[in-house]
Amino acid sequence: MLRSIATVSISGTLPEKLSAIAAAGYQGVEIFENDLLYYTGTPAEIRTLADDLGLKITLFQPFRDFEGESREQFAANLERARRKFALMHELGCDTLLLCSNVSPHCSADFDLQVADLRALATLAEQENIRIGYEALAWGTHVNHWYQAWERVKAVNSPAMGIVLDSFHVLSLGDNLKRLDDVPLESITFLQLADAPLMKMDVLEWSRHFRCFPGQGELPLIEFASELTRRGYRGPWSLEIFNDGFRASPNGATAKDGYRSLLWLEEQTRQALGQTDADLFTSRPLPQWHGMEFIEFAASPSDAKKLGMMLAGMGFRQTGMHRSKQVALWCNGEARVVINYQPHSWADHFYQRHGVSLCAMALRVSDSASVIARARAYGYATWQGEAGPNESTIPAVCAPDGSLIYLIDENQNIYTQDFNLTPDENPGGFTGIDHLALGMEADSRDNWVMFFRSVFGFVLEHEQTMPDPYGLVRSLAVQSPQGNIRFALNISQSRATQIARSVACYQGAGLQHAAFSCRDLSQAPPFASSIALPVPANYYDDLVARFGQPEMMATLKQQQILYDRDAQGGEFFHRYSWPFSEGRFFFELTERREGYAQYGAANAAVRLSAMQYRQLL
Ligand SMILES: O=C(O)c1ccc(O)c(O)c1
Ligand SMILES: [Mg+2]
């Protein structure tokens, strides 16, 4: 498998891009013409640069607006092609991508288009160059891949085939079902890009919102499987136009792209049930069993405050680490660790980020397979210091530098390391329902790749929620079993709570942690100093939306928020005031009848109420 990426996908100057691409592990690179135009050296120098880095120049692109132009323009176009072919010889690249014509004036005459393309193919034959014709989704007359194929078939030259670009095919809701009509040697090149589903002009969507396979919502696995099933074994090349990628450090982006190819290969291999294909494979995904605990880094005084807050919600301290300043707080199966050990890794985290989530632990059927997957996908893993007779728990480093511990199904991690007082556990909570993590807008894609590739988590469609001073965009990822859930939140506005946390604490971190219980109406209310009051207007609106005035009156009395989905699933929840400087808060939830959302409709109520307190 030759893994390749287009230079347009990452930031930097051309030499910087090539270095980052080679360092990430790719064997091939598509040179985007603009990168070459702005480079001060010659094409031959670029060829040497690539050679020295062990990179094959898989493609030169784009060549535009060729077929169906006026005869005068056609002559000029052929001359333009000659010059580009000469450049490609110097560059050491034999494949050119030709985009379908997007000019509003170009001719719709099939035969004329074919004659033009044939002239180009004839020239290419003489020059030992291959042309891949790509249907841009906004092409004037050729916008579906099959239309490109019909023309290429009519040209009937060994020098001309089609380029399949997943974005152009899938953004129009098209598929590769008719690929059986195309001989393998006529598929010149394959470009891969994903994207979130958006209702917007396809050109804008393509130029600004593409992302790596697995980070978006297009059916990339079906796409790659169809091609592989048909026998395509040429390069897989990423071509991503993305505003965030252009503005982010190129090393991390290039690496994520490489991971996305590995991920897509692994998924494709699985979809095809194939063992002989030259596709990446790693250890099988484990079964996830839930979130075992979350761990806060704190100072001793903050640890005390946080403990008081947890106590006000119904938690009790049920353990103290034998050798470290690490307290375990529990209610039922919901566990919170507060780490205030001086001069430790957690202390270091606290110094950088304030009171924050420095680690979490996930329970899993096979921790070793997750560690092996993390390594295979190029993520750092961690095995912390342990005192004598203390257990060591393996961990993976998350994109923000926090740790995700992995705990095997039947492993008891508490008795060895903690002095426990389990009788103190009040019981009632069933676990950790979800975590909402705030992050810089440009770093969310790193998290998505991490959760998808290493953990095999799945994505939901992004939702937009109000904050009193802007909008927050929330993307949910969860384990396939649905028992570990995260909301990854970003905001473009400078005034939202996320933005302020990002600015003040070097990364936003945890926004809230939600614990779950079986019957919220039976759970003791939060202490009054902690419970977030809900405006009466909210309950009037609930009655207007859902009816059931009696139930709503009870909810009002208990200060419980409510949501219902289209299938009749119900969500009951209660919020706390934010901790300390307002960085995070807690939530207690009850889900009924398969409700799988997060009560987004109620976020505005919470956010405004919190703001009110900050103004006091
Ligand atoms: O947006 C474009 O113009 C453009 C250019 C070349 C490509 O391969 C492509 O997919 C899009
Ligand atoms: Mg393309």
Side-chain angles (χ1 to χ4, degrees), residues 221-222 224-225 264-274:
I221 301 167
E222 284 95 319
S225 300
L264 186 58
E265 288 177 33
E266 188 180 30
Q267 297 292 319
T268 300
R269 192 188 174 102
Q270 248 166 40
L272 294 172
Q274 209 162 310

Side-chain angles (χ1 to χ4, degrees), residues 28-40:
V29 60
E30 290 179 34
I31 302 283
F32 228 74
E33 186 165 31
N34 273 355
D35 282 308
L36 183 137
L37 294 182
Y38 306 142
Y39 177 60
T40 49

Side-chain angles (χ1 to χ4, degrees), residues 239-319:
E239 187 200 28
I240 317 295
F241 305 90
N242 178 299
D243 297 356
F245 292 3
R246 284 178 200 265
S248 306
N250 59 21
T253 313
K255 232 175 151 181
D256 264 3
Y258 195 78
R259 291 171 176 135
S260 79
L261 286 176
L262 300 183
W263 173 83
L264 186 58
E265 288 177 33
E266 188 180 30
Q267 297 292 319
T268 300
R269 192 188 174 102
Q270 248 166 40
L272 294 172
Q274 209 162 310
T275 50
D276 59 337
D278 176 27
L279 297 173
F280 171 80
T281 176
S282 177
R283 291 274 291 273
L285 284 164
Q287 291 287 315
W288 295 100
H289 294 302
M291 205 174 281
E292 176 71 17
F293 66 76
I294 53 177
E295 178 171 339
F296 286 93
S299 64
S301 65
D302 280 329
K304 210 167 172 181
K305 270 201 249 170
L306 186 54
M308 277 164 57
M309 183 157 182
L310 290 171
M313 296 172 54
F315 282 82
R316 293 292 172 269
Q317 188 178 328
T318 61

Side-chain angles (χ1 to χ4, degrees), residues 134 165 168 191 210 239:
E134 176 188 55
D165 177 324
H168 296 298
Q191 294 180 320
R210 290 188 182 207
E239 187 200 28

Side-chain angles (χ1 to χ4, degrees), residues 490-508:
I490 61 175
S491 136
Q492 308 286 359
S493 150
R494 279 177 300 159
T496 53
Q497 203 214 327
I498 294 181
R500 280 179 280 143
S501 286
V502 167
C504 301
Y505 296 99
Q506 306 188 37

